Amino acid sequence: MLSKKTKYGIKALTYLAKQESRNPVSIATISKSENISIKFLESILLTLKKNGLLGSKKGIGGGYYLIKNPKDIPMTTVMRILEGPIAMMPCVSLNYYEKCDDCPDEVKCAVHRLMIQVRDSSLKVFRNTTLEDLSN
């Protein structure tokens, strides 16, 4: 299940991507437009800034803005920043792999095989979808 943090992060990024100018947008403006609590949104935007997707400007006329072109921001990047592993189980994760304690043989494990298919299908969608795609 997608966390609210990730859902709201995608909504905020999409809002910023739809802005014709790349001028800073205040947290209050994004919050009101996307119906996201300001406190929660501040935390999300700071995470996105720390991970190189957003820039910010303080003071009058300040706010957050995209520092990359929306076409250069795949959803895999956004998902990993906000949600963590894309795989539903650590034994099939490409970046956060961990062996399951209760599984003696991953090759024979039906759950493992199923979750690889789920991971691969999800990755295909996330890799082939950019922020630009969502903002059109």
Side-chain angles (χ1 to χ4, degrees):
M1 184 176 296
L2 193 67
S3 69
K4 282 190 176 184
K5 177 180 180 180
T6 303
K7 177 182 176 182
Y8 293 163
I10 293 170
K11 287 176 71 171
L13 286 169
T14 303
Y15 180 86
L16 291 171
K18 287 180 179 179
Q19 304 309 301
E20 299 228 354
S21 71
R22 291 292 174 230
N23 295 330
V25 179
S26 74
I27 292 174
T29 300
I30 299 168
S31 170
K32 184 176 181 181
S33 174
E34 299 302 317
N35 196 28
I36 305 168
S37 112
I38 288 179
K39 287 282 187 193
F40 196 27
L41 184 58
E42 284 175 344
S43 169
I44 294 166
L45 296 177
L46 187 58
T47 298
L48 293 168
K49 180 183 175 188
K50 287 180 179 177
N51 284 277
L53 295 184
L54 299 178
S56 67
K57 179 182 173 194
K58 293 184 180 185
I60 297 173
Y64 284 89
Y65 54 92
L66 290 174
I67 58 174
K68 291 184 174 187
N69 190 310
K71 71 178 173 130
D72 297 326
I73 303 175
M75 285 300 103
T76 47
T77 299
V78 176
M79 294 298 292
R80 287 185 174 125
I81 289 170
L82 296 173
E83 196 71 27
I86 291 173
M88 295 177 72
M89 293 177 54
C91 68
V92 298
S93 179
L94 297 175
N95 296 330
Y96 304 92
Y97 174 84
E98 288 180 28
K99 184 170 175 23
C100 293
D101 295 335
D102 61 342
C103 187
D105 187 354
E106 288 178 357
V107 176
K108 293 180 182 177
C109 179
V111 176
H112 180 82
R113 290 192 314 267
L114 174 64
M115 289 300 108
I116 285 176
Q117 291 178 57
V118 171
R119 178 206 64 202
D120 290 348
S121 295
S122 297
L123 277 173
K124 183 178 179 183
V125 172
F126 294 142
R127 280 184 182 138
N128 293 319
T129 305
T130 66
L131 184 56
E132 181 178 64
D133 297 325
L134 298 180
S135 61
N136 287 331

